[in-house]
Amino acid sequence: MTDHSQAAATPPAPEATTAPPPSPPADDTVTAPLIRVIRNALDRLRAFDRRRPRVWDAAVTGFWVVAAVLDYTSGGWRTVAHDDVTASEPLVLLMSLCFSLPLLWRRTHPMAVLLLMAPASLVNIWSGAVVQAALLQLIPVFQTVLRSSFRTVGVAAAVFVVPVLAIGVRIPSAWGQEVVSYVWGLVFVVLLGIAVRTRREYTEALVERAHRLEHERDQQARLAAAAERTRIAREMHDIIGHNLSVITGLADGGAYAARKNPERAGQALEAIGSTSRQALSELRRLLGVLRDDQPGAERTPQPTLDELAPLIERVRRAGLPVHLELHGEPRARSLTPGRQLTVYRVVQEALTNTLKHATRPTSATVTLTCSRTHLDARITDTGTGAGPTADAEEAALPAQGIMGMRERAALYDGTVEAGPLPNHGGWQIRLRLPLEDTHP
């Protein structure tokens, strides 16, 4: 027969292992929201202080006045007063108000507030009352550390400590209690004020540096935008101005040939069509590169010295006889693409000005001379310049073109000289470009 009592006393078999209880949340998950709440509350208090400083000063002063008066009415000051206290209760109330009411001006005149509290502090210590509201003197001391020089801070510390030392003279046994506690409180407040002031100055320096960097960034962006606008205007001027001048010359020649030689007029019209298409293609390519919404815009190499021959041929078809002369070693082909583009644009602009502004049958000569250190490009023509009927805008165009030439040449330490030929009528433009950078 089975022993049921023994079976009942036997402990049950262990059950299957269960999952451990969830661990308490980590400290950072608990403290992070608390820190965020405290930071938000402090930010709101600072914002309210900035909006309504007088209301905040009145609220703080009212709080300490109520606390000082409650200490008087409840008799709490008697628990720390000495046995031989000589101060009457009205005097204790007056001292409590002298320590709390001046706090209304603690931020605007902290040193004056501290000097106003000094007589009450001396009476408080000498009478033996040792009103706890006397510790409110540390508030203007803290404000003095935040706003004044360290010499003024030393004066404020002396104003606070001297009345405290008087109790050591009157009651020698107070050195271990009142004097030491007051001095340690002063040291703590001064160190706290220095830390807060240092952090505030450091934050202000960071904010000022951020504003200065932002201003410099905006200024650099404006300068870069201005330089880019100048570069775009220069390219547009070179591309459109040259092609329109060629088209104008071809149209004038075609109109003259139409009366005598229709075949030559047809050739002029074909040349006008090809030049117009080329101008539109270059303009479309330039605008496509400038647009942000077309990252895959066509980008062809800029013109080089090899493109001078087609350029001169187009000018010849427009009716201006041009002669090309090359002197020196063919080292010009080793020029950087930027220098070659400068030479090409200067020659293009010079011939364009000749097409637009020459007033008599004209021919032009392009002379390239390459030495070991420099490349000289000299463009001359036999024209007489703009006629007397040209308006101010047309007369300013050559000056703008010459300015663009000089800007291009200056990018590579080059120079451009422009002026009339000395011996006979005509105009010349001379470009002198170093083959290598001359600046360190």
Side-chain angles (χ1 to χ4, degrees):
M1 189 173 182
T2 306
D3 190 352
H4 294 284
S5 61
Q6 183 179 1
T10 305
E15 297 180 356
T17 305
T18 58
S23 58
D27 293 339
D28 54 353
T29 60
V30 176
T31 57
L34 179 60
I35 294 176
R36 191 179 302 112
V37 170
I38 295 175
R39 185 184 297 115
N40 293 337
L42 292 177
D43 291 340
R44 284 193 292 269
L45 287 177
R46 294 191 189 99
F48 179 80
D49 186 16
R50 287 191 296 268
R51 292 194 307 269
R52 302 179 181 274
R54 295 185 178 181
V55 175
W56 176 254
D57 289 341
V60 172
T61 303
F63 172 80
W64 289 116
V65 168
V66 171
V69 172
L70 288 177
D71 181 64
Y72 161 75
T73 57
S74 63
W77 62 277
R78 296 183 181 277
T79 59
V80 294
H82 294 280
D83 296 334
D84 55 349
V85 60
T86 59
S88 61
E89 291 189 358
L91 181 60
V92 172
L93 176 61
L94 178 63
M95 289 188 296
S96 300
L97 295 177
C98 288
F99 287 130
S100 56
L101 284 177
L103 292 179
L104 185 62
W105 301 277
R106 70 190 187 281
R107 292 196 291 189
T108 56
H109 304 86
M111 196 64 196
V113 170
L114 194 61
L115 291 175
L116 184 62
M117 293 180 176
S121 177
L122 183 61
V123 173
N124 176 48
I125 296 296
W126 197 260
S127 64
V130 195
V131 177
Q132 295 299 306
L135 293 175
L136 295 177
Q137 296 176 95
L138 294 175
I139 296 179
V141 171
F142 178 77
Q143 297 294 331
T144 303
V145 176
L146 289 183
R147 291 172 170 80
S148 305
S149 64
F150 287 105
R151 179 178 298 179
T152 306
V153 172
V155 175
V159 172
F160 176 80
V161 170
V162 169
V164 175
L165 296 179
I167 195 173
V169 177
R170 182 179 180 276
I171 307 174
S173 61
W175 279 96
Q177 182 178 359
E178 282 85 0
V179 176
V180 175
S181 62
Y182 273 63
V183 171
W184 273 114
L186 175 65
V187 172
F188 173 77
V189 168
V190 170
L191 293 179
L192 178 62
I194 293 175
V196 173
R197 178 175 180 173
T198 302
R199 181 173 178 81
R200 179 180 297 176
E201 292 175 351
Y202 177 71
T203 304
E204 292 176 354
L206 289 180
V207 172
E208 181 182 359
R209 182 171 181 268
H211 289 165
R212 186 171 63 252
L213 291 177
E214 183 178 0
H215 177 72
E216 293 177 357
R217 181 199 63 191
D218 295 340
Q219 186 176 13
Q220 291 293 333
R222 288 192 296 268
L223 293 176
E228 186 65 14
R229 284 195 299 268
T230 302
R231 186 186 69 83
I232 295 171
R234 188 165 54 235
E235 292 293 333
M236 297 283 287
H237 175 271
D238 292 342
I239 293 173
I240 298 178
H242 169 74
N243 287 285
L244 287 180
S245 297
V246 172
I247 291 173
T248 302
L250 289 172
D252 292 341
Y256 176 79
R259 294 190 296 268
K260 297 183 178 181
N261 191 344
E263 183 179 354
R264 293 291 301 274
Q267 294 176 358
L269 291 176
E270 292 179 359
I272 289 174
S274 63
T275 304
S276 301
R277 285 189 292 271
Q278 180 181 0
L280 288 175
S281 177
E282 293 183 5
L283 182 61
R284 189 180 299 110
R285 186 181 302 113
L286 178 61
L287 295 178
V289 172
L290 295 177
R291 289 174 180 171
D292 295 335
D293 57 350
Q294 292 188 4
E298 181 183 358
R299 292 174 172 83
T300 58
Q302 293 282 11
T304 62
L305 293 182
D306 294 333
E307 305 296 327
L308 280 179
L311 170 66
I312 292 175
E313 182 60 30
R314 289 196 301 271
V315 176
R316 286 172 182 167
R317 287 188 297 173
L320 175 63
V322 182
H323 180 62
L324 177 62
E325 297 180 1
L326 300 177
H327 301 282
E329 302 175 359
R331 193 182 172 191
R333 296 297 186 272
S334 63
L335 284 173
T336 60
R339 287 179 169 83
Q340 296 192 45
L341 176 63
T342 299
V343 176
Y344 179 89
R345 292 303 188 193
V346 168
V347 173
Q348 182 186 51
E349 179 62 23
L351 296 178
T352 301
N353 288 339
T354 302
L355 281 172
K356 289 192 295 186
H357 304 289
T359 58
R360 71 179 184 184
T362 306
S363 63
T365 302
V366 178
T367 305
L368 296 181
T369 304
C370 184
S371 64
R372 298 182 59 184
T373 58
H374 289 79
L375 174 67
D376 292 332
R378 186 168 178 263
I379 305 95
T380 61
D381 62 63
T382 59
T384 58
T389 59
D391 57 15
E393 183 177 359
E394 291 181 351
L397 290 177
Q400 294 178 1
I402 293 173
M403 182 174 11
M405 297 181 200
R406 287 173 176 163
E407 289 175 354
R408 286 186 180 276
L411 293 176
Y412 302 99
D413 300 326
T415 58
V416 171
E417 298 176 0
L421 292 172
N423 297 328
H424 52 81
W427 191 267
Q428 72 169 350
I429 292 177
R430 182 177 179 181
L431 167 67
R432 185 169 178 82
L433 199 64
L435 300 183
E436 297 180 357
D437 293 335
T438 58
H439 55 77

